[in-house]
Amino acid sequence: MFPQVKFHQEYLDLVITAEVPVIPIDDCPLLLVIRYGEEREVVTSPVEITAESFPLICDAIWDSYQSDRSHLWIMKALDRLSLEMKA
């Protein structure tokens, strides 16, 4: 069974998709899948993933990818975006 991709965004060497989990997860209708180089990260998002928020999520991850790929860089980017959206 293949995951169902709801949203997709490609950058130079980074691909971000929002996918329906193959195995349902409570309170998590979509997972973010981030692929770069040989790496593949699957994370939940503190920001609800919608058609409106997905470009913002992608931009936050892309900015972090270019500037700060320290430990947990994806979650840090998502947490910052979440705080900005709540302000």
Side-chain angles (χ1 to χ4, degrees), residues 11 13-14 16 32 34 36 41 43 55-81 84:
Y11 296 93
D13 55 349
L14 178 74
I16 304 168
L32 287 172
I34 299 99
Y36 54 98
E41 306 276 349
V43 299
L56 299 172
I57 291 167
C58 291
D59 287 346
I61 292 171
W62 174 242
D63 289 345
S64 187
Y65 177 78
Q66 295 180 92
S67 62
D68 174 28
R69 289 200 312 209
S70 60
H71 187 64
L72 299 174
W73 64 274
I74 296 169
M75 291 312 297
K76 289 177 186 176
L78 293 172
D79 288 341
R80 277 191 303 272
L81 177 61
E84 289 172 12

Side-chain angles (χ1 to χ4, degrees), residues 20-72:
V20 176
V22 175
I23 299 171
I25 301 171
D26 290 341
D27 299 326
C28 183
L30 296 173
L31 293 172
L32 287 172
V33 180
I34 299 99
R35 295 174 181 87
Y36 54 98
E38 297 295 320
E39 301 293 324
R40 179 179 179 270
E41 306 276 349
V42 179
V43 299
T44 59
S45 175
V47 176
E48 182 182 3
I49 303 169
T50 64
E52 294 80 26
S53 69
F54 187 70
L56 299 172
I57 291 167
C58 291
D59 287 346
I61 292 171
W62 174 242
D63 289 345
S64 187
Y65 177 78
Q66 295 180 92
S67 62
D68 174 28
R69 289 200 312 209
S70 60
H71 187 64
L72 299 174

